PDB file of all heavy atoms in Angstrom:
ATOM      1  N   HIS A  77     -10.711  19.970 -23.209  1.00  0.00           N
ATOM      2  CA  HIS A  77     -10.833  19.288 -24.514  1.00  0.00           C
ATOM      3  C   HIS A  77      -9.709  18.343 -24.680  1.00  0.00           C
ATOM      4  O   HIS A  77      -8.550  18.779 -24.343  1.00  0.00           O
ATOM      5  CB  HIS A  77     -10.908  20.284 -25.648  1.00  0.00           C
ATOM      6  CG  HIS A  77     -11.286  19.710 -26.997  1.00  0.00           C
ATOM      7  ND1 HIS A  77     -10.364  18.949 -27.736  1.00  0.00           N
ATOM      8  CD2 HIS A  77     -12.402  19.755 -27.784  1.00  0.00           C
ATOM      9  CE1 HIS A  77     -10.932  18.612 -28.894  1.00  0.00           C
ATOM     10  NE2 HIS A  77     -12.236  18.977 -28.852  1.00  0.00           N
ATOM     11  N   PRO A  78      -9.859  17.149 -25.295  1.00  0.00           N
ATOM     12  CA  PRO A  78      -8.725  16.186 -25.377  1.00  0.00           C
ATOM     13  C   PRO A  78      -7.529  16.723 -26.124  1.00  0.00           C
ATOM     14  O   PRO A  78      -6.424  16.401 -25.657  1.00  0.00           O
ATOM     15  CB  PRO A  78      -9.392  15.034 -26.068  1.00  0.00           C
ATOM     16  CG  PRO A  78     -10.824  15.147 -25.733  1.00  0.00           C
ATOM     17  CD  PRO A  78     -11.143  16.587 -25.712  1.00  0.00           C
ATOM     18  N   VAL A  79      -7.739  17.562 -27.185  1.00  0.00           N
ATOM     19  CA  VAL A  79      -6.652  17.982 -27.956  1.00  0.00           C
ATOM     20  C   VAL A  79      -5.774  18.874 -27.091  1.00  0.00           C
ATOM     21  O   VAL A  79      -4.485  18.784 -27.156  1.00  0.00           O
ATOM     22  CB  VAL A  79      -7.112  18.642 -29.267  1.00  0.00           C
ATOM     23  CG1 VAL A  79      -5.958  19.363 -30.036  1.00  0.00           C
ATOM     24  CG2 VAL A  79      -7.713  17.595 -30.191  1.00  0.00           C
ATOM     25  N   THR A  80      -6.277  19.948 -26.548  1.00  0.00           N
ATOM     26  CA  THR A  80      -5.549  20.814 -25.738  1.00  0.00           C
ATOM     27  C   THR A  80      -4.932  20.196 -24.452  1.00  0.00           C
ATOM     28  O   THR A  80      -3.829  20.486 -24.080  1.00  0.00           O
ATOM     29  CB  THR A  80      -6.302  22.078 -25.377  1.00  0.00           C
ATOM     30  OG1 THR A  80      -7.530  21.678 -24.750  1.00  0.00           O
ATOM     31  CG2 THR A  80      -6.606  22.931 -26.600  1.00  0.00           C
ATOM     32  N   LEU A  81      -5.724  19.342 -23.841  1.00  0.00           N
ATOM     33  CA  LEU A  81      -5.282  18.611 -22.618  1.00  0.00           C
ATOM     34  C   LEU A  81      -4.041  17.740 -23.032  1.00  0.00           C
ATOM     35  O   LEU A  81      -3.149  17.620 -22.125  1.00  0.00           O
ATOM     36  CB  LEU A  81      -6.325  17.827 -22.001  1.00  0.00           C
ATOM     37  CG  LEU A  81      -6.053  16.977 -20.789  1.00  0.00           C
ATOM     38  CD1 LEU A  81      -5.537  17.938 -19.639  1.00  0.00           C
ATOM     39  CD2 LEU A  81      -7.208  16.182 -20.309  1.00  0.00           C
ATOM     40  N   ALA A  82      -4.112  17.009 -24.095  1.00  0.00           N
ATOM     41  CA  ALA A  82      -3.012  16.117 -24.440  1.00  0.00           C
ATOM     42  C   ALA A  82      -1.694  16.885 -24.626  1.00  0.00           C
ATOM     43  O   ALA A  82      -0.571  16.482 -24.161  1.00  0.00           O
ATOM     44  CB  ALA A  82      -3.325  15.438 -25.759  1.00  0.00           C
ATOM     45  N   LYS A  83      -1.744  18.094 -25.178  1.00  0.00           N
ATOM     46  CA  LYS A  83      -0.524  18.969 -25.360  1.00  0.00           C
ATOM     47  C   LYS A  83      -0.009  19.324 -24.016  1.00  0.00           C
ATOM     48  O   LYS A  83       1.258  19.352 -23.760  1.00  0.00           O
ATOM     49  CB  LYS A  83      -0.891  20.189 -26.161  1.00  0.00           C
ATOM     50  CG  LYS A  83       0.354  20.997 -26.499  1.00  0.00           C
ATOM     51  CD  LYS A  83       1.375  20.247 -27.414  1.00  0.00           C
ATOM     52  CE  LYS A  83       0.865  20.094 -28.859  1.00  0.00           C
ATOM     53  NZ  LYS A  83       1.838  19.453 -29.768  1.00  0.00           N
ATOM     54  N   GLU A  84      -0.822  19.725 -23.062  1.00  0.00           N
ATOM     55  CA  GLU A  84      -0.389  20.012 -21.750  1.00  0.00           C
ATOM     56  C   GLU A  84       0.175  18.847 -21.030  1.00  0.00           C
ATOM     57  O   GLU A  84       1.170  18.958 -20.297  1.00  0.00           O
ATOM     58  CB  GLU A  84      -1.482  20.706 -21.007  1.00  0.00           C
ATOM     59  CG  GLU A  84      -1.990  22.046 -21.487  1.00  0.00           C
ATOM     60  CD  GLU A  84      -3.153  22.534 -20.604  1.00  0.00           C
ATOM     61  OE1 GLU A  84      -3.837  21.917 -20.014  1.00  0.00           O
ATOM     62  OE2 GLU A  84      -3.291  23.886 -20.745  1.00  0.00           O
ATOM     63  N   LEU A  85      -0.397  17.716 -21.172  1.00  0.00           N
ATOM     64  CA  LEU A  85       0.082  16.545 -20.504  1.00  0.00           C
ATOM     65  C   LEU A  85       1.427  16.021 -20.958  1.00  0.00           C
ATOM     66  O   LEU A  85       2.296  15.721 -20.168  1.00  0.00           O
ATOM     67  CB  LEU A  85      -0.946  15.374 -20.577  1.00  0.00           C
ATOM     68  CG  LEU A  85      -2.275  15.658 -19.916  1.00  0.00           C
ATOM     69  CD1 LEU A  85      -3.183  14.438 -20.254  1.00  0.00           C
ATOM     70  CD2 LEU A  85      -2.073  15.781 -18.432  1.00  0.00           C
ATOM     71  N   ILE A  86       1.665  16.023 -22.231  1.00  0.00           N
ATOM     72  CA  ILE A  86       2.981  15.620 -22.768  1.00  0.00           C
ATOM     73  C   ILE A  86       4.041  16.639 -22.260  1.00  0.00           C
ATOM     74  O   ILE A  86       5.220  16.179 -21.938  1.00  0.00           O
ATOM     75  CB  ILE A  86       3.081  15.397 -24.191  1.00  0.00           C
ATOM     76  CG1 ILE A  86       2.857  16.703 -25.018  1.00  0.00           C
ATOM     77  CG2 ILE A  86       2.080  14.348 -24.646  1.00  0.00           C
ATOM     78  CD1 ILE A  86       3.255  16.652 -26.461  1.00  0.00           C
ATOM     79  N   THR A  87       3.693  17.905 -22.155  1.00  0.00           N
ATOM     80  CA  THR A  87       4.598  18.955 -21.757  1.00  0.00           C
ATOM     81  C   THR A  87       4.969  18.631 -20.246  1.00  0.00           C
ATOM     82  O   THR A  87       6.122  18.701 -19.822  1.00  0.00           O
ATOM     83  CB  THR A  87       4.093  20.268 -21.911  1.00  0.00           C
ATOM     84  OG1 THR A  87       3.796  20.496 -23.285  1.00  0.00           O
ATOM     85  CG2 THR A  87       5.095  21.358 -21.464  1.00  0.00           C
ATOM     86  N   LEU A  88       4.007  18.483 -19.448  1.00  0.00           N
ATOM     87  CA  LEU A  88       4.109  18.270 -18.002  1.00  0.00           C
ATOM     88  C   LEU A  88       4.827  16.988 -17.768  1.00  0.00           C
ATOM     89  O   LEU A  88       5.630  16.893 -16.853  1.00  0.00           O
ATOM     90  CB  LEU A  88       2.723  18.283 -17.264  1.00  0.00           C
ATOM     91  CG  LEU A  88       2.639  18.103 -15.774  1.00  0.00           C
ATOM     92  CD1 LEU A  88       3.672  19.034 -15.086  1.00  0.00           C
ATOM     93  CD2 LEU A  88       1.229  18.308 -15.332  1.00  0.00           C
ATOM     94  N   LEU A 132     -10.322   9.179 -27.027  1.00  0.00           N
ATOM     95  CA  LEU A 132      -9.595  10.135 -27.925  1.00  0.00           C
ATOM     96  C   LEU A 132      -8.289  10.608 -27.203  1.00  0.00           C
ATOM     97  O   LEU A 132      -7.197  10.737 -27.856  1.00  0.00           O
ATOM     98  CB  LEU A 132     -10.498  11.255 -28.281  1.00  0.00           C
ATOM     99  CG  LEU A 132      -9.813  12.363 -29.137  1.00  0.00           C
ATOM    100  CD1 LEU A 132      -9.218  11.854 -30.405  1.00  0.00           C
ATOM    101  CD2 LEU A 132     -10.845  13.525 -29.488  1.00  0.00           C
ATOM    102  N   LEU A 133      -8.334  10.909 -25.971  1.00  0.00           N
ATOM    103  CA  LEU A 133      -7.127  11.281 -25.215  1.00  0.00           C
ATOM    104  C   LEU A 133      -6.087  10.306 -25.279  1.00  0.00           C
ATOM    105  O   LEU A 133      -4.932  10.515 -25.394  1.00  0.00           O
ATOM    106  CB  LEU A 133      -7.493  11.677 -23.752  1.00  0.00           C
ATOM    107  CG  LEU A 133      -6.381  12.221 -22.946  1.00  0.00           C
ATOM    108  CD1 LEU A 133      -5.793  13.541 -23.523  1.00  0.00           C
ATOM    109  CD2 LEU A 133      -6.900  12.497 -21.515  1.00  0.00           C
ATOM    110  N   ASP A 134      -6.520   9.059 -25.108  1.00  0.00           N
ATOM    111  CA  ASP A 134      -5.601   7.907 -25.156  1.00  0.00           C
ATOM    112  C   ASP A 134      -4.859   7.838 -26.495  1.00  0.00           C
ATOM    113  O   ASP A 134      -3.656   7.706 -26.541  1.00  0.00           O
ATOM    114  CB  ASP A 134      -6.399   6.599 -24.972  1.00  0.00           C
ATOM    115  CG  ASP A 134      -5.617   5.361 -25.124  1.00  0.00           C
ATOM    116  OD1 ASP A 134      -4.635   5.045 -24.343  1.00  0.00           O
ATOM    117  OD2 ASP A 134      -5.797   4.644 -26.241  1.00  0.00           O
ATOM    118  N   LYS A 135      -5.601   8.030 -27.645  1.00  0.00           N
ATOM    119  CA  LYS A 135      -4.928   8.031 -28.908  1.00  0.00           C
ATOM    120  C   LYS A 135      -4.004   9.193 -29.072  1.00  0.00           C
ATOM    121  O   LYS A 135      -2.859   9.074 -29.629  1.00  0.00           O
ATOM    122  CB  LYS A 135      -5.997   8.080 -29.930  1.00  0.00           C
ATOM    123  CG  LYS A 135      -6.823   6.776 -30.046  1.00  0.00           C
ATOM    124  CD  LYS A 135      -7.948   6.897 -31.154  1.00  0.00           C
ATOM    125  CE  LYS A 135      -8.751   5.656 -31.219  1.00  0.00           C
ATOM    126  NZ  LYS A 135      -9.837   5.727 -32.210  1.00  0.00           N
ATOM    127  N   LEU A 136      -4.483  10.281 -28.714  1.00  0.00           N
ATOM    128  CA  LEU A 136      -3.625  11.554 -28.777  1.00  0.00           C
ATOM    129  C   LEU A 136      -2.277  11.457 -28.090  1.00  0.00           C
ATOM    130  O   LEU A 136      -1.246  12.009 -28.567  1.00  0.00           O
ATOM    131  CB  LEU A 136      -4.455  12.748 -28.260  1.00  0.00           C
ATOM    132  CG  LEU A 136      -5.536  13.302 -29.140  1.00  0.00           C
ATOM    133  CD1 LEU A 136      -6.493  14.154 -28.254  1.00  0.00           C
ATOM    134  CD2 LEU A 136      -5.032  14.093 -30.313  1.00  0.00           C
ATOM    135  N   LEU A 137      -2.297  10.818 -26.918  1.00  0.00           N
ATOM    136  CA  LEU A 137      -1.074  10.674 -26.134  1.00  0.00           C
ATOM    137  C   LEU A 137      -0.162   9.459 -26.659  1.00  0.00           C
ATOM    138  O   LEU A 137       1.046   9.391 -26.304  1.00  0.00           O
ATOM    139  CB  LEU A 137      -1.397  10.424 -24.667  1.00  0.00           C
ATOM    140  CG  LEU A 137      -2.025  11.580 -23.900  1.00  0.00           C
ATOM    141  CD1 LEU A 137      -2.468  11.162 -22.583  1.00  0.00           C
ATOM    142  CD2 LEU A 137      -1.092  12.788 -23.952  1.00  0.00           C
ATOM    143  N   ARG A 138      -0.718   8.654 -27.505  1.00  0.00           N
ATOM    144  CA  ARG A 138       0.115   7.511 -27.993  1.00  0.00           C
ATOM    145  C   ARG A 138       0.677   7.818 -29.449  1.00  0.00           C
ATOM    146  O   ARG A 138       1.618   7.146 -29.842  1.00  0.00           O
ATOM    147  CB  ARG A 138      -0.735   6.245 -28.066  1.00  0.00           C
ATOM    148  CG  ARG A 138      -1.191   5.652 -26.741  1.00  0.00           C
ATOM    149  CD  ARG A 138      -2.164   4.566 -26.856  1.00  0.00           C
ATOM    150  NE  ARG A 138      -2.593   3.903 -25.726  1.00  0.00           N
ATOM    151  CZ  ARG A 138      -2.029   2.821 -25.093  1.00  0.00           C
ATOM    152  NH1 ARG A 138      -1.011   2.242 -25.643  1.00  0.00           N
ATOM    153  NH2 ARG A 138      -2.543   2.422 -24.004  1.00  0.00           N
ATOM    154  N   GLN A 139      -0.046   8.724 -30.184  1.00  0.00           N
ATOM    155  CA  GLN A 139       0.286   8.902 -31.603  1.00  0.00           C
ATOM    156  C   GLN A 139       0.857  10.185 -31.907  1.00  0.00           C
ATOM    157  O   GLN A 139       0.581  11.133 -31.250  1.00  0.00           O
ATOM    158  CB  GLN A 139      -1.051   8.714 -32.386  1.00  0.00           C
ATOM    159  CG  GLN A 139      -1.752   7.387 -32.193  1.00  0.00           C
ATOM    160  CD  GLN A 139      -3.071   7.248 -32.808  1.00  0.00           C
ATOM    161  OE1 GLN A 139      -3.700   6.227 -32.919  1.00  0.00           O
ATOM    162  NE2 GLN A 139      -3.582   8.376 -33.355  1.00  0.00           N
ATOM    163  N   ASP A 140       1.747  10.242 -32.935  1.00  0.00           N
ATOM    164  CA  ASP A 140       2.364  11.519 -33.346  1.00  0.00           C
ATOM    165  C   ASP A 140       1.263  12.427 -33.915  1.00  0.00           C
ATOM    166  O   ASP A 140       1.247  13.649 -33.753  1.00  0.00           O
ATOM    167  CB  ASP A 140       3.399  11.309 -34.411  1.00  0.00           C
ATOM    168  CG  ASP A 140       4.629  10.738 -33.845  1.00  0.00           C
ATOM    169  OD1 ASP A 140       4.701  10.731 -32.569  1.00  0.00           O
ATOM    170  OD2 ASP A 140       5.564  10.283 -34.578  1.00  0.00           O
ATOM    171  N   ALA A 141       0.326  11.890 -34.659  1.00  0.00           N
ATOM    172  CA  ALA A 141      -0.734  12.591 -35.259  1.00  0.00           C
ATOM    173  C   ALA A 141      -2.037  11.831 -35.293  1.00  0.00           C
ATOM    174  O   ALA A 141      -2.170  10.620 -35.349  1.00  0.00           O
ATOM    175  CB  ALA A 141      -0.427  12.878 -36.814  1.00  0.00           C
ATOM    176  N   THR A 142      -3.211  12.617 -34.911  1.00  0.00           N
ATOM    177  CA  THR A 142      -4.397  11.929 -34.639  1.00  0.00           C
ATOM    178  C   THR A 142      -5.572  12.663 -35.448  1.00  0.00           C
ATOM    179  O   THR A 142      -5.668  14.002 -35.265  1.00  0.00           O
ATOM    180  CB  THR A 142      -4.820  11.916 -33.139  1.00  0.00           C
ATOM    181  OG1 THR A 142      -3.809  11.138 -32.516  1.00  0.00           O
ATOM    182  CG2 THR A 142      -6.140  11.208 -33.036  1.00  0.00           C
ATOM    183  N   THR A 143      -6.380  11.982 -36.160  1.00  0.00           N
ATOM    184  CA  THR A 143      -7.522  12.555 -36.723  1.00  0.00           C
ATOM    185  C   THR A 143      -8.744  11.677 -36.439  1.00  0.00           C
ATOM    186  O   THR A 143      -8.641  10.387 -36.668  1.00  0.00           O
ATOM    187  CB  THR A 143      -7.392  12.663 -38.320  1.00  0.00           C
ATOM    188  OG1 THR A 143      -6.375  13.663 -38.665  1.00  0.00           O
ATOM    189  CG2 THR A 143      -8.825  13.149 -38.900  1.00  0.00           C
ATOM    190  N   ALA A 151     -10.598  15.688 -33.491  1.00  0.00           N
ATOM    191  CA  ALA A 151      -9.136  16.052 -33.624  1.00  0.00           C
ATOM    192  C   ALA A 151      -8.874  15.942 -35.069  1.00  0.00           C
ATOM    193  O   ALA A 151      -9.282  14.962 -35.795  1.00  0.00           O
ATOM    194  CB  ALA A 151      -8.227  15.135 -32.877  1.00  0.00           C
ATOM    195  N   VAL A 152      -8.274  16.983 -35.712  1.00  0.00           N
ATOM    196  CA  VAL A 152      -7.883  17.012 -37.087  1.00  0.00           C
ATOM    197  C   VAL A 152      -6.322  17.246 -37.194  1.00  0.00           C
ATOM    198  O   VAL A 152      -5.865  18.311 -36.943  1.00  0.00           O
ATOM    199  CB  VAL A 152      -8.708  18.158 -37.836  1.00  0.00           C
ATOM    200  CG1 VAL A 152      -8.283  18.166 -39.251  1.00  0.00           C
ATOM    201  CG2 VAL A 152     -10.120  18.001 -37.686  1.00  0.00           C
ATOM    202  N   GLU A 153      -5.672  16.116 -37.651  1.00  0.00           N
ATOM    203  CA  GLU A 153      -4.265  16.229 -37.725  1.00  0.00           C
ATOM    204  C   GLU A 153      -3.595  16.881 -36.469  1.00  0.00           C
ATOM    205  O   GLU A 153      -2.725  17.654 -36.635  1.00  0.00           O
ATOM    206  CB  GLU A 153      -3.836  16.938 -39.062  1.00  0.00           C
ATOM    207  CG  GLU A 153      -4.196  16.184 -40.312  1.00  0.00           C
ATOM    208  CD  GLU A 153      -3.298  14.916 -40.497  1.00  0.00           C
ATOM    209  OE1 GLU A 153      -2.115  14.971 -40.088  1.00  0.00           O
ATOM    210  OE2 GLU A 153      -3.938  13.935 -40.845  1.00  0.00           O
ATOM    211  N   ALA A 154      -4.057  16.481 -35.379  1.00  0.00           N
ATOM    212  CA  ALA A 154      -3.527  16.941 -34.060  1.00  0.00           C
ATOM    213  C   ALA A 154      -2.219  16.313 -33.779  1.00  0.00           C
ATOM    214  O   ALA A 154      -2.107  15.070 -33.767  1.00  0.00           O
ATOM    215  CB  ALA A 154      -4.487  16.686 -32.979  1.00  0.00           C
ATOM    216  N   ARG A 155      -1.147  17.140 -33.770  1.00  0.00           N
ATOM    217  CA  ARG A 155       0.275  16.619 -33.516  1.00  0.00           C
ATOM    218  C   ARG A 155       0.560  16.685 -32.016  1.00  0.00           C
ATOM    219  O   ARG A 155       0.320  17.611 -31.340  1.00  0.00           O
ATOM    220  CB  ARG A 155       1.184  17.496 -34.342  1.00  0.00           C
ATOM    221  CG  ARG A 155       1.043  17.457 -35.804  1.00  0.00           C
ATOM    222  CD  ARG A 155       1.383  16.059 -36.408  1.00  0.00           C
ATOM    223  NE  ARG A 155       1.596  16.077 -37.771  1.00  0.00           N
ATOM    224  CZ  ARG A 155       0.748  16.064 -38.781  1.00  0.00           C
ATOM    225  NH1 ARG A 155      -0.514  16.104 -38.482  1.00  0.00           N
ATOM    226  NH2 ARG A 155       1.093  16.112 -39.974  1.00  0.00           N
ATOM    227  N   ASN A 156       1.290  15.547 -31.599  1.00  0.00           N
ATOM    228  CA  ASN A 156       1.745  15.415 -30.213  1.00  0.00           C
ATOM    229  C   ASN A 156       3.130  14.777 -30.265  1.00  0.00           C
ATOM    230  O   ASN A 156       3.330  13.685 -29.893  1.00  0.00           O
ATOM    231  CB  ASN A 156       0.827  14.686 -29.285  1.00  0.00           C
ATOM    232  CG  ASN A 156      -0.351  15.523 -28.902  1.00  0.00           C
ATOM    233  OD1 ASN A 156      -0.070  16.625 -28.253  1.00  0.00           O
ATOM    234  ND2 ASN A 156      -1.489  15.111 -29.160  1.00  0.00           N
ATOM    235  N   ILE A 157       4.100  15.573 -30.758  1.00  0.00           N
ATOM    236  CA  ILE A 157       5.528  15.205 -30.894  1.00  0.00           C
ATOM    237  C   ILE A 157       6.276  15.985 -29.923  1.00  0.00           C
ATOM    238  O   ILE A 157       6.201  17.228 -29.814  1.00  0.00           O
ATOM    239  CB  ILE A 157       5.983  15.453 -32.366  1.00  0.00           C
ATOM    240  CG1 ILE A 157       5.045  14.726 -33.342  1.00  0.00           C
ATOM    241  CG2 ILE A 157       7.350  14.968 -32.499  1.00  0.00           C
ATOM    242  CD1 ILE A 157       5.348  15.060 -34.848  1.00  0.00           C
ATOM    243  N   PRO A 158       7.125  15.238 -29.079  1.00  0.00           N
ATOM    244  CA  PRO A 158       7.607  13.942 -29.174  1.00  0.00           C
ATOM    245  C   PRO A 158       6.798  12.892 -28.452  1.00  0.00           C
ATOM    246  O   PRO A 158       7.250  11.756 -28.241  1.00  0.00           O
ATOM    247  CB  PRO A 158       9.024  13.981 -28.519  1.00  0.00           C
ATOM    248  CG  PRO A 158       8.876  15.075 -27.475  1.00  0.00           C
ATOM    249  CD  PRO A 158       7.844  16.083 -28.004  1.00  0.00           C
ATOM    250  N   GLY A 159       5.708  13.257 -27.907  1.00  0.00           N
ATOM    251  CA  GLY A 159       4.928  12.300 -27.026  1.00  0.00           C
ATOM    252  C   GLY A 159       5.299  12.297 -25.679  1.00  0.00           C
ATOM    253  O   GLY A 159       6.139  13.104 -25.176  1.00  0.00           O
ATOM    254  N   CYS A 160       4.792  11.312 -24.930  1.00  0.00           N
ATOM    255  CA  CYS A 160       5.046  11.272 -23.412  1.00  0.00           C
ATOM    256  C   CYS A 160       6.430  10.663 -23.166  1.00  0.00           C
ATOM    257  O   CYS A 160       6.960   9.837 -23.895  1.00  0.00           O
ATOM    258  CB  CYS A 160       4.020  10.413 -22.836  1.00  0.00           C
ATOM    259  SG  CYS A 160       2.334  11.023 -22.875  1.00  0.00           S
ATOM    260  N   VAL A 161       7.088  11.035 -22.035  1.00  0.00           N
ATOM    261  CA  VAL A 161       8.196  10.387 -21.512  1.00  0.00           C
ATOM    262  C   VAL A 161       7.903   8.938 -21.046  1.00  0.00           C
ATOM    263  O   VAL A 161       8.654   8.023 -21.460  1.00  0.00           O
ATOM    264  CB  VAL A 161       8.773  11.171 -20.308  1.00  0.00           C
ATOM    265  CG1 VAL A 161       9.989  10.394 -19.693  1.00  0.00           C
ATOM    266  CG2 VAL A 161       9.267  12.533 -20.755  1.00  0.00           C
ATOM    267  N   PRO A 164       3.416   3.466 -22.822  1.00  0.00           N
ATOM    268  CA  PRO A 164       3.027   4.164 -24.121  1.00  0.00           C
ATOM    269  C   PRO A 164       2.492   5.599 -23.930  1.00  0.00           C
ATOM    270  O   PRO A 164       2.397   6.348 -24.888  1.00  0.00           O
ATOM    271  CB  PRO A 164       2.084   3.240 -24.787  1.00  0.00           C
ATOM    272  CG  PRO A 164       1.382   2.625 -23.613  1.00  0.00           C
ATOM    273  CD  PRO A 164       2.431   2.389 -22.520  1.00  0.00           C
ATOM    274  N   ARG A 165       2.130   5.901 -22.669  1.00  0.00           N
ATOM    275  CA  ARG A 165       1.638   7.250 -22.374  1.00  0.00           C
ATOM    276  C   ARG A 165       1.638   7.451 -20.843  1.00  0.00           C
ATOM    277  O   ARG A 165       1.912   6.434 -20.084  1.00  0.00           O
ATOM    278  CB  ARG A 165       0.205   7.429 -22.948  1.00  0.00           C
ATOM    279  CG  ARG A 165      -0.785   6.443 -22.520  1.00  0.00           C
ATOM    280  CD  ARG A 165      -2.174   6.877 -22.576  1.00  0.00           C
ATOM    281  NE  ARG A 165      -3.163   5.925 -22.444  1.00  0.00           N
ATOM    282  CZ  ARG A 165      -3.525   5.375 -21.221  1.00  0.00           C
ATOM    283  NH1 ARG A 165      -2.970   5.753 -20.078  1.00  0.00           N
ATOM    284  NH2 ARG A 165      -4.469   4.430 -21.160  1.00  0.00           N
TER     285      ARG A 165
END
Side-chain angles (χ1 to χ4, degrees):
H77 189 285
V79 170
T80 52
L81 178 59
K83 185 65 70 174
E84 292 181 337
L85 293 176
I86 67 165
T87 305
L88 182 49
L132 178 54
L133 183 63
D134 174 69
K135 291 178 182 178
L136 287 160
L137 292 174
R138 290 174 182 265
Q139 301 173 170
D140 287 348
T142 301
T143 295
V152 180
E153 289 295 318
R155 296 294 200 274
N156 280 301
I157 302 170
C160 299
V161 172
R165 56 157 169 75

